[in-house]
Amino acid sequence: MKKVGVDVGGSHVTISVIEHNVVRKEEQLVLRKEINAKDSPMAIISTIGNCITEVLSNKLAVDAVGIAFPGPFNYDKGVSEIKGVGGKFEPTFGVHIQQALKNFTGLDAIPFVFANDADCFAEGAYFRHQLKSKRTVFLTLGTGFGSAFMVDGNLIKNHPEVPENGVFYDKSFLGTIADECFSTRWILNEYKRLSGVTIDSVKAIAGLNTEDSNAVFRKFGANMGTFLFPWFEKFGCDELVIGGNISKASALFLSALEEKLNSLTIKLNIVFCDDAEQSILRGATIIADKKNKIQMEKELQSKRKTTQPLLPINAVVKNNSEYNVFPSFKTDSEIFVGFKSLANAIAKQKTVVIDGFGGVLWENFKNHLNSALTEKKINVLWYDIDSCLKSSAEIDEMIKPNMNGDDLVFGKRYSGELSDFFDAEKLNLLQPDTTADVCIVYGTGASLANWKGKLIYVDVPKNEIQYRMRACSTKNIGCSDTLAYSQIYKRMYFIEWPVLNAHKEGLLPKIDLIVDEQRIDEITWMEGSDFRSALNTMLESPLRARPWFEAGVWGGHWMKNKIGDLNQDEVNYAWSFELITPENGIVLEGNNHLLEVSFDFLMFQDNKKVLGKAADRFGNNFPIRFDYLDTFDGGNLSVQCHPRPDYIKEHFGEAFTQDETYYILDCTEDANVYLGFTEDINSEEFENALLESQKTAEPIDIEKYVQKIKAQKHELYLIPNGTIHASGINNMVLEISSTPYIFTFKMYDWVRPGLDGKPRPINVEHGLNNVYFDRKGERVTNEFISKPKVVQEFSNGLKMSLPTHEEHFYAVDRYEFTGEIEIETLGQCHICMLVEGDIAEVSVGDNSQTFKYAETFVIPANVPKYKINYKGDKKAFVVVSYVKDSWC
């Protein structure tokens, strides 16, 4: 099959149609045209695009277009990152050249693949000259200093024996960088320095054959040999292939170059190519073929790794008492579906800013919206905000103190801003081309470009982000490598989510359109003004977050058996994130369509209306979480503790710590809770036992050290920070806890691997630094098991206080009643659950909603009072938690 090879140079565009795998001495050079590399992006696109359409004007069938383009450039995406190279192509900075050329040529179905011209030269020269060398270095000498490395005919970029990305141009040499020493600029400047005469071409200087001109080339060759020697020695180079315009003067600098390289350990063969342009064209098509095969394989891979279903587009109504895994909040506003409707909404805009959370599949989003816009005959030019990021090395260095090395779980919260990840100079370079119908800057942080235009914000649920992380379909901001899942999550939790949340908060009042991107091929969206209005309505109403569910090594089957909409093929369900606000979303329903956004939008809209008295202390940090731990027919949780307040602040940057309680929603007769130490605990012996078990993978008799207490349904077990604990098998635990949720120091995990077969992280040192050994024996029974007491009686029921520990900043009450009761919030946000009974109607004024058994719901503090009407025959139990007034 034929392919189009394109070589974009500083002054010309050359195009050839090449038959794949056919070796020809002369490629068919179809077209060469001049290009103004300092013109506008649309003009540059037009020049290249016209060349492509011209060579294909006879309806020649091709299956790919390979393009050699100068750098810096994001060759995987096809986005220009050119700056600081003398002005050539700098107007294209940030432009998605690949998408622009596809739009211009109308060849959207054909892959356009970009590559560095030196890489193309290497692939083409190796193929055309049928090279057999084992370790080959390729140089292109012209307006810049291009380089590429091959091992056994395969390009390499990340290799311990080659420079980063296989490039020489930015390496230090003679007080500057190599690009300044081995390019046309150096020869012209050096000749002027020696002779005092200005000549504007290398060819002209080479033809002089004067003492000054010959001296320039001898020095050029000697300097190059000096620069290359240590790299070649390290790499074990056995063949050097040189192309480019300067290589035509090889007779003038070869001897000086060889003299510097003669002492290499491995004998070096030097080859000069007089067919560099043809090699580049051929190489562009070879790389296009290779990359296209890789891309096709990637596209076959799932973008999410989970057994859990996506949120449906249409509302799910449960008229019976069945738990609803897709709860939604009805609004009077319209929620739109699809990219075509979004394209209609922005069709008349001149500039559009599409910002959004990290984890959005931006290229997929761009492709869909671009298709919808081009169907409307709109000439759109895309600008990728990622082109303005600092280098991955700079970002890694910046966040290094927060990553805590290779720790598998814990980092420290980053206190900076999203703008810290971006280069201010690059942001200033990102300017829309007014000749396009519409210019769109897109990507996480796009609003930092400060363009004036309609602002679209794209949100994606945190659970979906994690499913994408597991499928390796999303990366961290500015990260060039694919990290292990634990490191991706750690970087997101401690560094990216804090800055992205703050960025989102600042954008909320300005958002014109908000998009739910979790269904990557069929989005839902609504007007920003309608969205803010819906948030205000929620702040006056009962509401429920969307839960999500996870399997675990100790997971059970209570949720699987009780919640019909869960995927029954999952191995088990260990957790339900009922209300862990840093990771839960809220779902809006409009004209029967669903749109999910993060819960924290409610906090950003008005945290005082959400939290009331507690807002001054907690700000945008929702303080209380509800989640399930299911061990029915499962296993024991790890024996663990949580950090003390000073420890979590100093080591992890959290404002408050992970104080927990276990409310036993259900259990079997043989269920137990591990809580506190045995009366005769020997801390040194316990530490030695833990370390020995970790070392030898031998189990220990944990009951020798930790108390096992019989679990009772509806009992509340108190687990303030530093308390050793675990749920035993056959419990359905409702954790009523402070919001921090990942700071679990596993001290003993029953010598078992995780579901992935790999060892789970054990944190004995952290645990020993925080656990209280004096929480033991009878003290645990007296102080760490709540003693319920009646605090109010009424005709149809009573209110029980389930006292929490003095270190808990939240209280827990339980209402036991029939019929209807009324509860005052007294300026506090209430987090509630029907823990006994089938279904209850909760009303605030004329607004009422129904909540089922085991569903968590929230009453904002802005609501002065609410009614709960239970119509069942038996008594209902409703648990209510809120921040203690003394902690506000």
Side-chain angles (χ1 to χ4, degrees):
M1 190 67 176
K2 292 183 173 63
K3 304 181 191 299
V4 176
V6 183
D7 180 16
V8 180
S11 59
H12 290 80
V13 178
T14 308
I15 296 187
S16 178
V17 177
I18 297 173
E19 195 164 349
H20 191 54
N21 285 335
V22 176
V23 181
R24 286 196 178 96
K25 187 174 181 181
E26 296 291 331
E27 304 290 4
Q28 184 183 1
L29 292 178
V30 177
L31 192 65
R32 180 185 284 113
K33 286 194 175 182
E34 290 186 355
I35 188 169
N36 181 356
K38 295 186 178 182
D39 211 335
S40 69
M42 285 307 301
I44 291 170
I45 294 300
S46 297
T47 300
I48 303 170
N50 280 326
C51 290
I52 295 171
T53 54
E54 187 173 335
V55 300
L56 297 179
S57 59
N58 59 356
K59 297 185 179 180
L60 192 66
V62 297
D63 66 353
V65 178
I67 304 175
F69 209 96
F73 200 93
N74 186 322
Y75 293 103
D76 290 333
K77 284 185 181 179
V79 174
S80 170
E81 296 180 352
I82 298 174
K83 63 179 285 288
V85 292
K88 288 190 176 183
F89 297 109
E90 287 192 8
T92 66
F93 180 81
V95 174
H96 204 299
I97 305 291
Q98 180 200 65
Q99 189 65 70
L101 284 173
K102 282 190 168 193
N103 290 350
F104 186 92
T105 60
L107 300 173
D108 194 57
I110 296 176
F112 279 56
V113 179
F114 289 76
N116 176 271
D117 52 2
D119 289 349
C120 293
F121 171 65
E123 288 278 15
Y126 203 91
F127 177 86
R128 284 173 57 81
H129 294 271
Q130 299 293 289
L131 301 179
K132 304 298 182 184
S133 47
K134 296 293 185 182
R135 295 205 162 204
T136 321
V137 175
F138 300 83
L139 300 178
T140 55
L141 305 177
T143 56
F145 183 39
S147 59
F149 289 74
M150 277 188 166
V151 173
D152 295 326
N154 296 307
L155 279 172
I156 58 171
K157 295 290 184 182
N158 300 310
H159 189 282
E161 295 168 357
V162 306
E164 185 179 1
N165 295 318
V167 298
F168 280 141
Y169 79 92
D170 60 349
K171 300 301 173 285
S172 298
F173 188 66
L174 297 180
T176 182
I177 60 173
D179 202 62
E180 295 299 325
C181 302
F182 308 115
S183 61
T184 299
R185 295 186 302 281
W186 184 89
I187 292 175
L188 300 184
N189 292 335
E190 182 66 9
Y191 181 76
K192 182 179 179 181
R193 187 185 70 81
L194 290 179
S195 68
V197 178
T198 299
I199 295 181
D200 61 3
S201 76
V202 173
K203 182 178 180 180
I205 296 173
L208 292 176
N209 195 26
T210 64
E211 183 177 342
D212 287 340
S213 66
N214 292 337
V216 168
F217 283 101
R218 283 196 302 272
K219 187 174 182 181
F220 181 83
N223 285 346
M224 187 185 299
T226 301
F227 173 80
L228 294 175
F229 184 91
W231 291 106
F232 282 18
E233 187 72 9
K234 182 179 181 181
F235 180 58
C237 177
D238 59 4
E239 189 156 47
L240 169 63
V241 182
I242 303 177
N245 287 333
I246 297 176
S247 70
K248 295 174 183 177
S250 60
L252 301 176
F253 65 82
L254 176 58
S255 60
L257 173 64
E258 287 179 326
E259 184 178 340
K260 293 292 183 179
L261 297 176
N262 276 340
S263 59
L264 285 168
T265 303
I266 296 176
K267 184 176 179 177
L268 179 69
N269 182 46
I270 301 178
V271 177
F272 287 92
C273 287
D274 58 3
D275 62 349
E277 184 174 63
Q278 294 173 346
S279 292
I280 288 172
L281 292 168
R282 166 65 70 169
T285 65
I286 293 172
I287 291 175
D289 185 64
K290 290 181 177 180
K291 283 190 173 181
N292 188 41
K293 288 177 181 176
I294 294 171
Q295 184 60 33
M296 289 173 67
E297 290 176 3
K298 285 184 177 180
E299 288 175 359
L300 293 174
Q301 297 171 0
S302 175
K303 300 295 188 292
R304 60 197 300 266
K305 187 176 181 180
T306 180
T307 64
Q308 302 309 302
L310 279 163
L311 178 75
I313 287 178
N314 295 316
V316 175
V317 179
K318 296 283 186 181
N319 292 319
N320 54 19
S321 60
E322 186 180 351
Y323 181 105
N324 190 353
V325 300
F326 299 121
S328 57
F329 186 90
K330 282 191 176 182
T331 75
D332 295 329
S333 301
E334 185 169 4
I335 292 175
F336 300 87
V337 177
F339 285 94
K340 288 185 178 181
S341 63
L342 184 62
N344 289 335
I346 64 173
K348 295 181 180 179
Q349 301 298 311
K350 193 65 179 174
T351 55
V352 177
V353 178
I354 307 181
D355 206 328
F357 210 76
V360 171
L361 301 183
W362 284 112
E363 291 307 293
N364 180 80
F365 186 92
K366 171 195 64 69
N367 291 341
H368 280 296
L369 185 54
N370 181 78
S371 295
L373 289 166
T374 53
E375 279 184 20
K376 299 175 70 65
K377 309 300 182 186
I378 294 173
N379 176 19
V380 57
L381 198 60
W382 293 87
Y383 290 76
D384 185 356
I385 196 66
D386 281 359
S387 62
C388 300
L389 286 166
K390 292 177 179 175
S391 70
S392 59
E394 287 178 284
I395 292 173
D396 288 346
E397 187 62 27
M398 179 180 75
I399 65 174
K400 188 176 181 179
N402 301 85
M403 286 296 287
N404 194 21
D406 294 328
D407 190 296
L408 294 176
V409 180
F410 303 115
K412 187 170 185 179
R413 183 176 286 266
Y414 182 73
S415 59
E417 300 175 348
L418 181 59
S419 59
D420 297 343
F421 291 75
F422 288 84
D423 185 312
E425 181 185 352
K426 291 179 180 178
L427 288 170
N428 290 331
L429 286 174
L430 207 66
Q431 298 297 328
D433 184 346
T434 56
T435 64
D437 293 343
V438 58
C439 291
I440 300 177
V441 58
Y442 74 101
T444 301
S447 58
L448 297 174
N450 291 317
W451 285 17
K452 303 298 181 184
K454 190 176 281 288
L455 174 61
I456 300 173
Y457 189 86
V458 184
D459 209 12
V460 58
K462 298 263 187 22
N463 60 314
E464 282 300 319
I465 294 172
Q466 291 174 65
Y467 301 155
R468 293 174 185 184
M469 286 159 48
R470 294 168 191 170
C472 299
S473 62
T474 189
K475 291 183 179 181
N476 297 105
I477 297 173
C479 185
S480 59
D481 300 322
T482 301
L483 304 175
Y485 170 77
S486 62
Q487 296 298 304
I488 298 174
Y489 181 84
K490 182 176 74 170
R491 184 161 162 169
M492 284 188 172
Y493 180 93
F494 286 99
I495 297 161
E496 293 169 16
W497 287 352
V499 299
L500 290 171
N501 287 339
H503 182 66
K504 180 194 297 185
E505 179 184 7
L507 294 182
L508 175 57
K510 309 170 190 175
I511 292 172
D512 294 305
L513 306 173
I514 187 154
V515 177
D516 174 2
E517 182 264 352
Q518 63 183 296
R519 307 169 216 85
I520 61 174
D521 298 324
E522 194 165 22
I523 58 171
T524 55
W525 63 275
M526 68 189 300
E527 296 281 350
S529 56
D530 290 342
F531 173 55
R532 288 181 288 273
S533 177
L535 293 177
N536 287 332
T537 302
M538 294 186 84
L539 294 172
E540 309 280 347
S541 312
L543 61 102
R544 187 171 167 225
R546 178 195 168 188
W548 62 284
F549 304 83
E550 279 282 282
V553 65
W554 43 263
H557 293 79
W558 191 96
M559 287 188 282
K560 200 172 184 180
N561 295 332
K562 301 280 188 180
I563 303 175
D565 285 341
L566 289 181
N567 186 338
Q568 296 300 304
D569 293 331
E570 181 61 273
V571 60
N572 64 49
Y573 288 101
W575 296 275
S576 167
F577 284 50
E578 286 290 305
L579 184 72
I580 304 182
T581 58
E583 297 206 16
N584 281 105
I586 48 175
V587 181
L588 299 176
E589 177 188 339
N591 53 294
N592 201 42
H593 296 148
L594 300 181
L595 177 143
E596 183 174 0
V597 297
S598 61
F599 185 97
D600 48 26
F601 268 118
L602 278 172
M603 305 298 290
F604 302 151
Q605 183 70 1
D606 195 329
N607 61 37
K608 286 189 177 296
K609 287 187 176 180
V610 178
L611 296 183
K613 298 174 186 176
D616 288 341
R617 176 175 179 186
F618 293 101
N620 288 331
N621 297 311
F622 194 89
I624 297 173
R625 65 177 162 93
F626 275 29
D627 62 276
Y628 286 137
L629 308 175
D630 179 358
T631 65
F632 261 70
D633 297 320
N636 299 320
L637 268 69
S638 63
V639 178
Q640 58 191 246
C641 76
H642 305 298
R644 302 181 189 186
D646 290 343
Y647 197 89
I648 199 170
K649 186 174 183 179
E650 177 186 352
H651 289 82
F652 311 124
E654 294 287 328
F656 53 99
T657 196
Q658 188 167 330
D659 292 305
E660 297 186 336
T661 68
Y662 281 178
Y663 185 93
I664 306 300
L665 184 71
D666 200 1
C667 63
T668 61
E669 283 294 321
D670 60 348
N672 296 286
V673 170
Y674 295 87
L675 187 64
F677 288 107
T678 55
E679 183 65 50
D680 59 350
I681 182 68
N682 181 309
S683 61
E684 185 175 344
E685 181 183 340
F686 180 60
E687 177 179 353
N688 291 336
L690 293 176
L691 294 175
E692 185 66 16
S693 175
Q694 191 176 7
K695 179 181 176 181
T696 63
E698 291 294 326
I700 61 177
D701 180 8
I702 199 66
E703 293 176 34
K704 180 179 178 181
Y705 309 100
V706 181
Q707 290 196 84
K708 185 165 77 170
I709 298 169
K710 181 175 174 57
Q712 300 285 345
K713 186 175 181 179
H714 293 305
E715 198 151 70
L716 185 70
Y717 298 90
L718 310 181
I719 311 167
N721 63 85
T723 305
I724 198 159
H725 67 282
S727 169
I729 191 173
N730 289 331
N731 281 314
M732 181 60 178
V733 175
L734 166 61
E735 275 196 310
I736 303 174
S737 304
S738 56
T739 293
Y741 57 102
I742 71 165
F743 300 96
T744 296
F745 300 148
K746 300 182 186 74
M747 302 175 75
Y748 179 65
D749 198 30
W750 313 94
V751 196
R752 63 189 173 192
L755 288 179
D756 58 2
K758 299 176 182 178
R760 301 212 303 161
I762 301 295
N763 317 109
V764 173
E765 182 178 356
H766 279 310
L768 291 172
N769 286 337
N770 285 274
V771 74
Y772 289 102
F773 282 98
D774 60 351
R775 293 177 179 174
K776 61 181 183 177
E778 288 188 12
R779 182 186 172 193
V780 173
T781 306
N782 295 332
E783 190 177 331
F784 296 90
I785 302 176
S786 184
K787 308 299 187 292
K789 56 184 179 181
V790 178
V791 292
Q792 184 181 358
E793 294 187 65
F794 28 90
S795 61
N796 59 333
L798 51 84
K799 173 184 177 181
M800 303 282 292
S801 170
L802 310 182
T804 54
H805 195 271
E806 62 182 6
E807 292 199 34
H808 287 113
F809 61 69
Y810 53 90
V812 179
D813 296 334
R814 185 173 66 225
Y815 291 83
E816 304 176 7
F817 63 97
T818 58
E820 183 177 87
I821 60 171
E822 184 174 80
I823 302 175
E824 293 184 289
T825 61
L826 302 176
Q828 293 283 15
C829 180
H830 283 194
I831 301 92
C832 316
M833 181 183 289
L834 180 65
V835 296
E836 195 73 55
D838 298 323
I839 184 170
E841 183 180 78
V842 180
S843 58
V844 176
D846 294 332
N847 180 2
S848 67
Q849 296 186 52
T850 56
F851 297 103
K852 322 293 178 55
Y853 172 65
E855 293 182 345
T856 302
F857 60 96
V858 177
I859 308 295
N862 192 47
V863 173
K865 57 187 177 182
Y866 57 102
K867 293 179 180 178
I868 304 178
N869 189 350
Y870 181 70
K871 297 182 179 179
D873 295 332
K874 297 180 180 179
K875 187 177 288 187
F877 286 13
V878 173
V879 164
V880 178
S881 185
Y882 51 88
V883 176
K884 297 173 182 175
D885 283 347
S886 60
W887 284 78
C888 293

